[in-house]
Amino acid sequence: RNGWVDAVVTEDSDLLAFGCATVLYKLDKSGQCKQVRFADLGSIAKPAMANFDLEMFRAMCILSGCDYVKQIPGIGLVKAHELV
């Protein structure tokens, strides 16, 4: 949040919901990895993320199920997006 870190390396991309702007994940032994940036979420067409801020994105993630709460039956990512 203070701009001290350019990216975070992790096993998955969950850190976007915690406010990390750039997440590098699935790093392999050769140094290859995948990158996901919060700023790029607006280019996702389905579900449309262009108008989502961090709070909306975080709410969608929680509603669709996460490591800390059980998934609500019948609510996946698309339904969570519609609700937010």
Side-chain angles (χ1 to χ4, degrees), residues 1-78:
R1 292 180 192 161
N2 295 322
W4 297 343
V5 176
D6 292 319
V8 175
V9 178
T10 183
E11 284 297 311
D12 55 43
S13 57
D14 289 354
L15 291 178
L16 285 177
F18 290 98
C20 294
T22 303
V23 177
L24 305 175
Y25 64 104
K26 305 297 182 192
L27 180 66
D28 66 22
K29 292 179 183 179
S30 68
Q32 297 295 309
C33 64
K34 297 182 185 249
Q35 173 182 285
V36 62
R37 293 176 353 117
F38 187 83
D40 294 338
L41 292 182
S43 65
I44 296 174
K46 282 195 170 187
M49 303 291 291
N51 297 318
F52 269 47
D53 61 16
L54 180 58
E55 292 299 315
M56 294 169 74
F57 177 73
R58 187 176 289 150
M60 183 186 72
C61 292
I62 292 169
L63 281 171
S64 65
C66 67
D67 295 340
Y68 307 104
V69 295
K70 291 182 180 181
Q71 184 175 6
I72 301 168
I75 298 185
L77 189 62
V78 173

